[in-house]
Amino acid sequence: MEQKEYGGKMIEIDEDGFIQDPDAWDEGVAKDLAKTEGVEEMTADHWKVVNYLREYYLEFNMAPMIRKLCKTTGFKLKEIYDLFPSGPAKGACKVAGLPKPTGCV
Amino acid sequence: MDLITVTRKCGVAFDIRVRGHEVTSDLSAKDGGRDEGPSPVELLGGSLGACVAMMVQGYCERHGYTDGDVGVSLTLELADGPKRVGGIVVDVELPEGVPEDTKEVIRRMAERCPVHETLRDPPRVDIEVM
């Protein structure tokens, strides 16, 4: 398994760049993961999405449905894609340190 | 219904032709294609989006909501075992001035578009290999 330096520490990632140990995640890791997704600066809106994904994952051990993500954060689908160009699954979940969502290829 | 034909273009890219129109479908480079067009699954999403948009645009024009156009954004949630589309999330944007209490009517009408009805009650698909 490949290792990359994110947030100043070596992190194990899969072939699509998702981190393998959710406990290794912190804000520094998120900022560096965001850059791999074309997000140079994490704004308050980016954090709103990432923090919700993370809280949901820690409670339910899975990513929320996209509609739930939109309703809870108040962002339209298009706005989520404006924030994370590769989308909620491949982009936002990756930055939030979640495992690769089911079927995400 | 007119005949739809699918013929190879190059690699895994195929041209879809119907009534003199042509659309290329391909896979992204990451998935082994040359990215010459939307993937078949993306076309499925686009087909639903276009169908919903046509229905809602027609409703808005009939009711005088013409300050702007209908727009649809959608994404597909993929599922495994077997690999398929597990969910589709559709956002419909309306022209200005559509009353709040009309939006539920429009949502129900969007659900009655032929592509959505087809997804809700899947057709029999009869494949013969020649």
Side-chain angles (χ1 to χ4, degrees):
Chain A
M1 191 81 61
E2 190 182 353
Q3 287 205 334
K4 287 251 173 144
E5 186 175 341
Y6 292 135
K9 51 189 174 185
M10 295 308 288
I11 304 270
E12 207 167 69
I13 57 168
D14 72 6
E15 68 278 11
D16 292 311
F18 284 78
I19 69 171
Q20 295 303 284
D21 177 10
D23 292 335
W25 184 93
D26 60 27
E27 289 196 1
V29 172
K31 285 177 186 171
D32 283 345
L33 283 168
K35 286 177 187 151
T36 70
E37 290 300 307
V39 179
E40 286 305 313
E41 189 185 351
M42 288 285 286
T43 65
D45 286 348
H46 290 97
W47 285 117
K48 189 175 182 183
V49 171
V50 164
N51 288 335
Y52 172 67
L53 287 172
R54 191 132 189 102
E55 285 163 17
Y56 189 97
Y57 177 75
L58 291 175
E59 185 170 357
F60 299 106
N61 203 33
M62 61 191 289
M65 304 298 281
I66 294 171
R67 178 60 76 206
K68 186 160 181 58
L69 171 67
C70 292
K71 282 195 181 295
T72 306
T73 58
F75 292 122
K76 296 175 184 168
L77 185 59
K78 202 156 69 176
E79 292 170 332
I80 300 276
Y81 275 84
D82 286 341
L83 291 169
F84 297 96
S86 35
K90 287 183 186 173
C93 283
K94 183 189 286 185
V95 176
L98 274 58
K100 187 164 62 179
T102 306
C104 176
V105 290
Chain B
M1 176 63 92
D2 288 73
L3 182 67
I4 301 171
T5 61
V6 179
T7 54
R8 188 171 182 222
K9 183 177 186 184
C10 60
V12 293
F14 280 79
D15 288 329
I16 303 162
R17 292 189 184 85
V18 62
R19 292 189 293 106
H21 303 293
E22 184 178 300
V23 178
T24 299
S25 184
D26 196 4
L27 298 178
S28 67
K30 180 179 172 295
D31 289 329
R34 299 182 190 181
D35 211 11
E36 301 246 342
S39 73
V41 170
E42 289 165 341
L43 286 174
L44 175 70
S47 174
L48 174 63
C51 201
V52 166
M54 287 176 192
M55 288 283 281
V56 177
Q57 183 72 44
Y59 176 92
C60 289
E61 285 177 7
R62 285 194 302 280
H63 290 80
Y65 305 128
T66 53
D67 185 6
D69 295 325
V70 169
V72 173
S73 306
L74 60 83
T75 193
L76 306 168
E77 293 172 323
L78 302 176
D80 282 333
K83 190 172 281 188
R84 65 197 187 282
V85 176
I88 306 177
V89 180
V90 186
D91 276 3
V92 180
E93 294 193 26
L94 300 171
E96 293 295 320
V98 177
E100 210 48 47
D101 60 3
T102 306
K103 291 182 179 175
E104 179 55 23
V105 174
I106 291 175
R107 194 189 65 78
R108 287 203 302 270
M109 197 187 54
E111 284 184 340
R112 288 203 301 273
C113 80
V115 174
H116 185 271
E117 293 286 18
T118 302
L119 293 170
R120 182 152 56 187
D121 184 11
R124 170 180 45 81
V125 179
D126 184 347
I127 299 177
E128 187 166 323
V129 180
M130 309 195 184

